Amino acid sequence: MDYPIGVIDSGVGGLTVARELMRQLPKENLIYVGDTLRCPYGPRPEAEVVEFTWDMVNFLLEKNIKMLVIACNTATAFTLEELKQKLDIPVVGVIEPGARAAIKTTKTNHIGVLGTEGTIRSHAYRKALKNINNELQIEGLACPAFAPMVEKGVVSGPLARQVIEEALTPLKDWKEMDTLILGCTHYPIIKPVIEEVIGESVDVISSGDETAREVSAILGFKRQLYEGDRPVSHQFYATGDTHLFMKIANMWLKQPVTEVGRIQLGSPQSI
Amino acid sequence: MDYPIGVIDSGVGGLTVARELMRQLPKENLIYVGDTLRCPYGPRPEAEVVEFTWDMVNFLLEKNIKMLVIACNTATAFTLEELKQKLDIPVVGVIEPGARAAIKTTKTNHIGVLGTEGTIRSHAYRKALKNINNELQIEGLACPAFAPMVEKGVVSGPLARQVIEEALTPLKDWKEMDTLILGCTHYPIIKPVIEEVIGESVDVISSGDETAREVSAILGFKRQLYEGDRPVSHQFYATGDTHLFMKIANMWLKQPVTEVGRIQLGSPQSI
């Protein structure tokens, strides 16, 4: 099926999901929309997140996407059910795939979740995990310093290590935890340092990687994967500074991004 | 949705898929059918495999299953497309989930596949892998000794190790391979020995575990997971010796199986 997969995010974090989609589904075209002008969504009221998400969705629906990926934890928590009900195309969020992968991986049934304050406070991962298995022990830890640090490009070296070590100190008390979910799309960029800090006894699950896997599973299940051999072509759009977006995209993606469209979503007052 | 998941297999191998379904979806009821009287399916002509598989499917459809899992590589290769088209419920086979997990895991794009002679000869994994990514390098290795050995209960110790070491000798030439698919539902039982023999540099993917993960993803995606709290109750049926089936089920599953129904499928001439 030769229609693109639509990917929406409040900003650049979802590029890690796009990167994995490109790797795991190298024949598929993507259209990525980052609402960089109005990010972060985390501190905004639910109604606003719903409105802004619909702005991105409506933009993509005009481009005939065959599937929608909500590559943003906050938007997933607030809009997934509504979008699943209202759209005719499959919709995949970023929370359940990470939860399912953790359930597959854990042997002790003790799972940790790292995320932004909003994601941890929403208990979205806890609900998704408990929905499948009531017996799980789950601990969430907000890491507010990580996403801004990653966007600044501090992703390795002594400073990154120090910030991550300090933030993850409470993990030392969760002796039984054998699986840790990276519940924020920025965190895969610092996954190597996180793994170094927490040691080999804990498996680190990246929600974004698992989301790409489930996109593959669902498109495969629906027989909607593209099976021809036209060249691949991705499109990127941002509501804010396109130069900054392009710079980050070129750092995070494994292929060059030479064009980013600047778009306006919603009314100018909504910023 | 409080209907059971149906699982079919030519014999006992699919119990490893059932085990993972029980672990990853502990609230779901399963109905397992093993066509032990007519197994193995591998050497049979395609038309016969199709007929026998429909016998199991028709038995399960009368029990109002909400999903069908084909936990048998041969039956998946020959019947998945037809069953997907003809049934109103979702149908998941055992080949594509393993292929997708391998694509997610590999960094070198060199993937190995172990299976029965029939599975390797059918190139079913190669097709599923190439369908998603043309660039992959794939090598298949038939291990005809493994399934009979596992059914005899030889699953660890020096004999198992020797058989596995000899069978896997050709793997030494695939220097770039970093991911190995266990393309037979018997093999997860000897996964620890296989991992010991091939060493830490290769990730071993069990198709059955990955199938359970995709069943979870698809039922979750379709909002058909059971969300209540009635006690779990599984049913097992076999066409052959139910005592032998029960013995193997009690070795492989992590919960006791006290009842196995004996059923007759097809005409007595079909054995």
Side-chain angles (χ1 to χ4, degrees):
Chain A
M1 205 184 192
D2 195 12
Y3 296 107
I5 298 169
V7 182
I8 57 173
D9 183 42
S10 57
V12 293
L15 287 168
T16 62
V17 182
R19 179 178 68 178
E20 273 302 303
L21 285 166
M22 292 172 187
R23 193 177 72 81
Q24 294 184 39
L25 291 170
K27 296 182 186 176
E28 299 293 333
N29 288 336
L30 306 184
I31 306 186
Y32 184 99
V33 180
D35 195 4
T36 48
L37 193 64
R38 304 188 287 190
C39 83
Y41 281 6
R44 291 184 185 270
E46 178 167 349
E48 217 168 57
V49 173
V50 172
E51 182 195 327
F52 292 2
T53 304
W54 272 108
D55 288 340
M56 294 192 280
V57 171
N58 287 327
F59 174 80
L60 283 175
L61 289 179
E62 286 184 14
K63 298 193 172 285
N64 287 323
I65 54 171
K66 64 181 171 185
M67 182 176 220
L68 177 69
V69 181
I70 315 174
C72 168
N73 282 277
T74 310
T76 298
F78 290 154
T79 70
L80 178 64
E81 289 311 312
E82 182 181 333
L83 290 170
K84 276 178 82 78
Q85 277 168 31
K86 294 198 176 155
L87 301 190
D88 294 330
I89 51 171
V91 183
V92 173
V94 86
I95 291 170
E96 286 165 275
R100 271 190 283 272
I103 287 171
K104 175 175 169 281
T105 303
T106 184
K107 289 184 175 72
T108 62
N109 279 354
H110 280 64
I111 296 172
V113 183
L114 305 184
T116 62
E117 283 184 327
T119 299
I120 298 303
R121 211 172 43 233
S122 77
H123 296 299
Y125 279 92
R126 175 179 298 270
K127 284 175 206 158
L129 289 160
K130 290 274 190 185
N131 198 29
I132 295 176
N133 186 351
N134 276 330
E135 312 285 308
L136 296 171
Q137 301 296 315
I138 303 149
E139 298 282 351
L141 179 65
C143 304
F146 287 6
M149 178 179 84
V150 168
E151 285 202 19
K152 275 185 210 121
V154 180
V155 298
S156 58
L159 177 57
R161 167 120 195 171
Q162 189 195 332
V163 169
I164 291 166
E165 261 179 2
E166 271 173 31
L168 300 189
T169 306
L171 289 183
K172 286 185 189 143
D173 296 333
W174 309 348
K175 306 271 185 228
E176 300 287 315
M177 179 190 71
D178 68 346
T179 306
L180 180 66
I181 301 174
L182 304 186
C184 171
T185 50
H186 284 75
Y187 299 179
I189 304 289
I190 47 171
K191 190 180 175 195
V193 190
I194 293 173
E195 285 179 321
E196 234 179 75
V197 169
I198 59 164
E200 282 186 355
S201 62
V202 177
D203 276 308
V204 179
I205 304 283
S206 156
S207 268
D209 299 7
E210 302 302 332
T211 301
R213 161 85 190 278
E214 294 205 1
V215 166
S216 176
I218 288 159
L219 285 179
F221 170 74
K222 294 176 82 76
R223 296 291 180 256
Q224 290 182 352
L225 288 168
Y226 175 69
E227 298 187 355
D229 57 2
R230 55 125 180 77
V232 169
S233 155
H234 306 302
Q235 295 173 49
F236 298 89
Y237 297 94
T239 55
D241 182 342
T242 52
H243 286 97
L244 183 60
F245 184 96
M246 204 184 296
K247 193 181 146 199
I248 294 178
N250 278 303
M251 280 194 303
W252 293 5
L253 300 177
K254 279 169 184 151
Q255 40 195 280
V257 175
T258 54
E259 201 183 329
V260 177
R262 175 86 184 255
I263 54 171
Q264 194 200 309
L265 294 178
S267 66
Q269 291 84 342
S270 73
I271 296 162
Chain B
M1 206 185 193
D2 194 12
Y3 297 107
I5 299 169
V7 183
I8 57 174
D9 183 43
S10 57
V12 293
L15 287 168
T16 62
V17 182
R19 179 179 67 179
E20 273 301 304
L21 284 167
M22 292 173 187
R23 193 178 71 81
Q24 293 184 40
L25 290 171
K27 296 181 186 175
E28 299 292 333
N29 287 337
L30 306 184
I31 306 186
Y32 184 99
V33 180
D35 195 4
T36 48
L37 193 65
R38 304 189 286 190
C39 83
Y41 281 6
R44 293 185 183 268
E46 177 166 347
E48 219 168 53
V49 173
V50 173
E51 183 194 328
F52 292 2
T53 303
W54 270 108
D55 287 340
M56 294 192 280
V57 171
N58 287 327
F59 173 81
L60 283 175
L61 289 179
E62 286 184 13
K63 298 194 172 285
N64 287 323
I65 53 170
K66 64 181 172 186
M67 182 177 220
L68 177 69
V69 181
I70 314 173
C72 168
N73 283 277
T74 310
T76 298
F78 289 154
T79 69
L80 178 63
E81 290 312 311
E82 184 180 331
L83 289 169
K84 276 178 82 78
Q85 276 168 32
K86 293 198 176 155
L87 301 190
D88 294 331
I89 51 172
V91 183
V92 173
V94 86
I95 291 170
E96 286 165 273
R100 271 190 283 271
I103 287 172
K104 175 175 170 281
T105 303
T106 186
K107 290 185 173 72
T108 62
N109 279 355
H110 280 64
I111 295 172
V113 184
L114 306 184
T116 62
E117 283 183 327
T119 300
I120 298 302
R121 212 172 43 232
S122 77
H123 296 300
Y125 280 93
R126 175 180 297 273
K127 284 174 207 159
L129 289 160
K130 289 274 190 186
N131 197 29
I132 295 176
N133 187 350
N134 275 330
E135 313 284 308
L136 296 171
Q137 300 295 313
I138 302 148
E139 298 282 351
L141 179 66
C143 304
F146 287 5
M149 179 179 83
V150 169
E151 285 201 21
K152 274 185 211 123
V154 181
V155 297
S156 59
L159 177 57
R161 167 119 195 172
Q162 189 194 331
V163 169
I164 292 166
E165 259 178 3
E166 271 173 31
L168 300 189
T169 306
L171 290 182
K172 287 186 188 142
D173 296 333
W174 308 348
K175 307 270 185 228
E176 301 286 315
M177 181 190 69
D178 69 346
T179 306
L180 180 66
I181 300 174
L182 304 186
C184 171
T185 51
H186 283 75
Y187 299 178
I189 305 289
I190 46 171
K191 190 180 175 194
V193 190
I194 294 173
E195 286 178 323
E196 233 179 77
V197 169
I198 59 165
E200 283 187 353
S201 62
V202 177
D203 276 307
V204 179
I205 304 284
S206 156
S207 267
D209 299 7
E210 302 302 332
T211 301
R213 161 85 189 278
E214 293 205 3
V215 167
S216 177
I218 288 160
L219 285 179
F221 170 72
K222 293 176 81 78
R223 295 292 181 255
Q224 291 182 353
L225 288 169
Y226 175 69
E227 298 188 356
D229 56 2
R230 54 124 182 77
V232 169
S233 155
H234 307 302
Q235 295 174 47
F236 297 90
Y237 297 93
T239 55
D241 182 341
T242 53
H243 287 96
L244 182 61
F245 184 96
M246 205 185 295
K247 193 180 145 199
I248 295 178
N250 278 305
M251 280 193 304
W252 293 5
L253 300 178
K254 277 165 189 157
Q255 41 195 281
V257 176
T258 54
E259 201 183 332
V260 178
R262 175 87 184 253
I263 54 171
Q264 194 199 310
L265 294 178
S267 66
Q269 290 86 344
S270 75
I271 296 160

